[in-house]
Amino acid sequence: MRTGARPYILMLALVLGCNGSRDQLLADLQSPRPEVRALAVKKLAGQGNPDDLILFTRAAKDLASIVRAEAAVALGESQDPRVVDLLGELLEDSDEEVQGRAAMALSKVRNDKAKAYLTLQYGRRGRTTRQVIVQALKNANVPGAMAEVVAAEAKGQWDRNLLTLTEGELPERVGAAEELGKSGRPEAVNRLLPLVRDSQVILAAAAVRGLGDAGDKRAVGDIALLLDESFPELRESAIIALSKLQDPAAALRLQAVAVEKSAVSPLAIDAILSFPRTPETDTALCAVALDGAPSDALAAALAMRTRGGCPLDPIGERLARPATAASGLQAVAGLGPVAQPLLAKVTPWLNQNDATLRMLAVDAVAAVGDAAVVPQLQKLYEQEAKGLEALRSDWVTQKLPETYGAGFDPSATTSPHVAASPHDERASRHASLFERVKALNAQRAKDAGRTVVKPRVPSELFDDVEAERLVPLATLIRALGTLRAPGALELLKGYSQDSSIPLRTAALVGLTRLGAEGVAVAREGIFEPERDLQKTLAQALAESGEAGQVALLEALPKMGGEKLLVLDALAKGPGVPASASAVLQGVVKEGGPEAALAAVVLARIQAKDAVPTLIKALDETNSVARRDVLLALGTLGDVQAADVVARDLFHDLPEIRAAAATALKRMGATTHSEFLDALKSDYFRTVRDAAGAALAKGGTASEGAR
């Protein structure tokens, strides 16, 4: 029953009296007010008259959910076997309260048909109703109630997917292949392995993805062979599957894909990075750092920077020859300080005529971080700036106005005018409506304390200079900031307002390396309208240390949809101040996808004070951050959250059930072992594994219950 209706029904009960006349109650069943009809059903049920069963049957079809809920209770109290089918229908009602009342009513009938309805509907209902169904079966004295319905749900899913794989249409078979793989059963692997060579590429790719989810390393060899195929979808599925199977033996084959500079090369690198660290994976990453595409090589080298670096002799050999110098320089740029012994072989390339090699050398020496090269970089900067001086000279000598003239401001409200035609009148109405929407959005942002990002007003006009032509200058500006060159702060401040996005981005990133004063200037750039600039700057601020991280945290409440960029940078950065808890909790309270990243960071900084906020976030039924919130609660380890987390062991989504089980293990909770033991029969391998791991620490289910 809706909680809001209960006080009203109780008030009506007092008005009508505890023993309201039967005639009045019958009349109330025809009332236009649903709360009056619901109260009449409840009072008639209390009278226990068998002849009223027909009245409750009619009430079960009422348009109001509170009436149907009371009808379900009344039908259950009758314990008449004839009402089982009707209660089964109410168990499928669109209202969860009606579903729950129908489930408890079926538990009072206590026959096999009622039990069958409860068992069948467990796999079709949401979390709340699933909990009630288990409780209803317990009330009906069904032993191992949850284990029985979980096993029945798993059997139904297996039979359905198996039938679809063999008899369904092609799109249905594709979905069934993936779902069978998620079961992780040996039989699923046996059925999917022959399909990896199916003539239908989409079915073969689905089988490969299913084998990846199955987690059976018997499939590694067959899947690895598919990396030689020419179908991009099949190769992509194979890489994803190998990443999930976590077998370092596939590193060599993935290395070949990673260095081929194709569309799937980044996926191959991600797969190698996901493997447990072994000499084979390190060798593969070092090979990619030398021979991969520039962005792929940088990603591999950065990964090896944290692992102690790569062998330097092969890189030095590349640096000795012009034909291979580019690959050597990009490897040094990724490895950074660990490549310090190669600095003497890198600096000669700063004087090359080839602009590409020269800029790669600038990136490399900046990454190494040796200030000895600053004089050379300053000289290069002066040459580059002088070469662009003529191209960027002002052709409008006077200062440009920074406000729009009358009638030209696109954000100003147009003055009312008499439309010259019906078309003009419609255009005027649409413009007026659009202006009102903009004004309302601006007011909402202001009320919420968010900064409204506005387009930059050009302060100067330059002759057209392509962005690519400015990249060398931007590279030098960023390098001077990175190496903290003398005078770099004032120089980069000047470029921080430049009209060129590459130069402005480079200056802002360089400023983040110049201490608190530089960060104070750079932080304003986070409100720039250019999304790529925002992303690059957010990453630089997160990596610059506590001052940059605090700047990002202070900007968060003022941002709208750009919060994701900042939170992603903080999540991937080297650290987050403990003071971030309050701001991040505010993001969690707002909900949305941003709450997921905020929960991840809260867990990372062990913000124990965030536990109540995270618990409250679980009240939102359809939260996209639910999985991350559960895992965060587990990481924070507060056992007081165990009961709330355990509710999601009944969730209809397997990833949520698995996250709840994992969270319970992390917090060391041992009071929900009956439910965890039941999930060991779940259809999905990830849920079974998580439940088994959660039980392993506390021993058997019975031991955990004690």
Side-chain angles (χ1 to χ4, degrees):
M1 182 184 298
R2 301 293 186 191
T3 56
R6 287 174 181 164
Y8 194 82
I9 292 175
L10 292 174
M11 182 182 71
L12 285 174
L14 293 173
V15 172
L16 294 173
C18 296
N19 298 306
S21 70
R22 180 175 178 80
D23 291 340
Q24 181 61 52
L25 292 176
L26 293 174
D28 287 344
L29 288 177
Q30 309 301 319
S31 171
R33 300 168 66 179
E35 57 269 28
V36 174
R37 299 198 300 275
L39 180 60
V41 171
K42 183 175 182 178
K43 295 182 73 63
L44 285 170
Q47 293 179 358
N49 190 336
D51 294 335
D52 289 341
L53 190 62
I54 186 62
L55 301 177
F56 304 148
T57 301
R58 291 173 184 168
K61 305 291 185 181
D62 198 279
L63 293 177
S65 61
I66 60 172
V67 180
R68 298 196 301 274
E70 289 297 341
V73 174
L75 290 169
E77 292 294 339
S78 73
Q79 299 185 12
D80 192 321
R82 293 175 297 174
V83 304
V84 170
D85 288 327
L86 182 55
L87 288 172
E89 291 179 19
L90 291 175
L91 194 52
E92 298 184 67
D93 196 273
S94 58
D95 187 272
E96 278 194 341
E97 179 73 14
V98 178
Q99 295 173 17
R101 296 290 186 90
M104 295 307 293
L106 282 168
S107 71
K108 296 183 178 182
V109 179
R110 298 193 181 187
N111 60 22
D112 291 340
K113 192 174 185 180
K115 177 186 172 183
Y117 269 117
L118 291 169
T119 303
L120 175 67
Q121 289 300 323
Y122 180 84
R124 301 178 179 180
R125 305 273 70 88
R127 185 194 70 177
T128 303
T129 303
R130 287 159 75 104
Q131 281 183 279
V132 177
I133 286 174
V134 170
Q135 186 58 50
L137 289 170
K138 286 183 177 181
N139 291 351
N141 296 323
V142 175
M146 184 173 177
E148 182 168 336
V149 291
V150 169
E153 180 188 22
K155 183 180 185 303
Q157 288 174 304
W158 172 263
D159 292 343
R160 182 171 60 254
N161 289 323
L162 195 59
L163 180 65
T164 303
L165 183 69
T166 55
E167 299 182 8
E169 299 295 330
L170 180 59
E172 296 171 331
R173 296 181 70 199
V174 167
E178 294 188 26
E179 290 300 308
L180 282 173
K182 291 176 182 177
S183 74
R185 299 185 183 186
E187 185 182 346
V189 176
N190 294 337
R191 288 182 175 272
L192 293 176
L193 274 174
L195 293 179
V196 300
R197 293 291 180 181
D198 196 273
S199 59
Q200 298 282 355
V201 174
I202 59 172
L203 180 58
V208 171
R209 292 192 293 271
L211 287 167
D213 288 325
D216 193 327
K217 292 189 178 182
R218 289 181 298 160
V220 170
D222 292 271
I223 294 174
L225 292 175
L226 299 177
L227 296 176
D228 299 328
E229 290 285 346
S230 57
F231 299 102
E233 181 182 358
L234 197 54
R235 300 183 80 208
E236 180 178 335
S237 297
I239 294 170
I240 294 172
L242 289 172
S243 177
K244 291 179 179 179
L245 291 171
Q246 291 285 287
D247 191 341
L252 186 60
R253 284 188 173 272
L254 289 167
Q255 173 189 326
V257 178
V259 299
E260 71 185 18
K261 303 177 182 179
S262 68
V264 296
S265 293
L267 284 176
I269 296 171
D270 290 341
I272 298 171
L273 288 171
S274 72
F275 290 164
R277 186 182 178 186
T278 64
E280 291 78 14
T281 58
D282 283 0
T283 299
L285 289 172
C286 288
V288 177
L290 278 174
D291 296 321
S295 59
D296 298 337
L298 181 62
L302 285 171
M304 288 308 300
R305 182 190 296 191
T306 62
R307 299 184 181 191
C310 294
L312 299 182
D313 289 342
I315 302 174
E317 292 174 5
R318 299 285 183 101
L319 292 171
R321 298 188 299 273
T324 58
S327 61
L329 290 170
Q330 69 185 17
V332 173
L335 292 172
V338 298
Q340 170 73 34
L342 295 174
L343 186 62
K345 294 186 177 183
V346 173
T347 50
W349 295 102
L350 293 172
N351 302 317
Q352 290 297 310
N353 292 328
D354 187 318
T356 301
L357 288 177
R358 193 166 63 248
M359 290 308 105
L360 283 173
V362 171
D363 280 334
V365 296
V368 170
D370 194 326
V373 299
V374 166
Q376 287 179 269
L377 296 182
Q378 288 175 324
K379 184 177 179 180
L380 287 174
Y381 163 75
E382 292 170 2
Q383 293 173 352
E384 194 66 35
K386 187 174 181 180
L388 289 169
E389 186 176 354
L391 294 174
R392 305 195 81 208
S393 60
D394 298 351
W395 59 272
V396 176
T397 56
Q398 68 271 25
K399 184 178 180 180
L400 295 177
E402 297 188 8
T403 58
Y404 288 96
F408 289 94
D409 187 349
S411 63
T413 304
T414 55
S415 57
H417 62 280
V418 178
S421 68
H423 174 76
D424 292 338
E425 186 178 352
R426 286 195 300 271
S428 176
R429 285 201 305 269
H430 291 164
S432 176
L433 178 61
F434 185 62
E435 288 161 2
R436 289 168 60 190
V437 170
K438 286 199 299 183
L440 286 171
N441 288 337
Q443 187 60 43
R444 288 195 191 99
K446 183 178 179 181
D447 294 342
R450 295 199 302 266
T451 298
V452 179
V453 177
K454 296 181 179 180
R456 293 175 60 88
V457 178
S459 58
E460 293 184 2
L461 293 178
F462 300 105
D463 286 332
D464 291 337
V465 180
E466 293 182 359
E468 291 77 6
R469 179 67 181 83
L470 297 172
V471 169
L473 181 60
T475 303
L476 287 162
I477 289 171
R478 185 171 57 250
L480 290 171
T482 300
L483 294 175
R484 298 172 177 262
L489 182 62
E490 293 304 319
L491 176 68
L492 269 61
K493 280 183 180 180
Y495 282 104
S496 66
Q497 296 299 318
D498 198 278
S499 60
S500 164
I501 295 178
L503 293 181
R504 198 161 70 248
T505 302
L508 292 170
V509 171
L511 283 166
T512 64
R513 304 294 191 265
L514 295 175
E517 191 173 354
V519 168
V521 178
R523 64 188 298 169
E524 297 304 318
I526 204 67
F527 298 108
E528 288 267 8
E530 288 80 16
R531 186 58 64 93
D532 288 340
L533 186 155
Q534 281 184 319
K535 182 178 180 180
T536 303
L537 179 57
Q539 292 172 344
L541 285 167
E543 294 168 0
S544 66
E546 186 170 351
Q549 294 154 12
V550 169
L552 289 175
L553 291 167
E554 290 176 350
L556 262 180
K558 304 175 185 178
M559 305 183 80
E562 306 84 8
K563 282 189 176 75
L564 279 173
L565 295 176
V566 172
L567 290 165
D568 185 59
L570 289 169
K572 294 177 179 177
V576 181
S579 59
S581 178
V583 175
L584 294 171
Q585 287 184 57
V587 177
V588 172
K589 291 174 182 177
E590 292 176 6
E594 295 86 357
L597 280 172
V600 169
V601 181
L602 283 168
R604 180 180 173 187
I605 63 175
Q606 283 293 300
K608 303 286 187 181
D609 61 312
V611 169
T613 299
L614 293 170
I615 291 175
K616 182 67 177 176
L618 293 177
D619 291 341
E620 186 181 344
T621 307
N622 298 317
S623 171
V624 296
R626 192 171 203 85
R627 177 180 177 276
D628 297 281
V629 170
L630 287 168
L631 293 175
L633 284 169
T635 301
L636 293 175
D638 191 334
V639 182
Q640 294 181 359
D643 289 342
V644 177
V645 170
R647 295 174 192 166
D648 279 320
L649 295 174
F650 294 87
H651 205 280
D652 51 312
L653 295 178
E655 59 269 25
I656 302 300
R657 297 199 295 274
T662 301
L664 290 172
K665 174 179 173 57
R666 289 179 181 177
M667 64 178 61
T670 59
T671 56
H672 302 91
S673 40
E674 176 192 351
F675 303 151
L676 290 166
D677 196 51
L679 291 181
K680 289 167 65 177
S681 301
D682 199 277
Y683 175 82
F684 294 92
R685 179 182 68 86
T686 53
V687 180
R688 297 197 304 272
D689 290 350
L695 286 169
K697 184 176 181 181
T700 65
S702 59
E703 289 171 348
R706 289 198 297 269

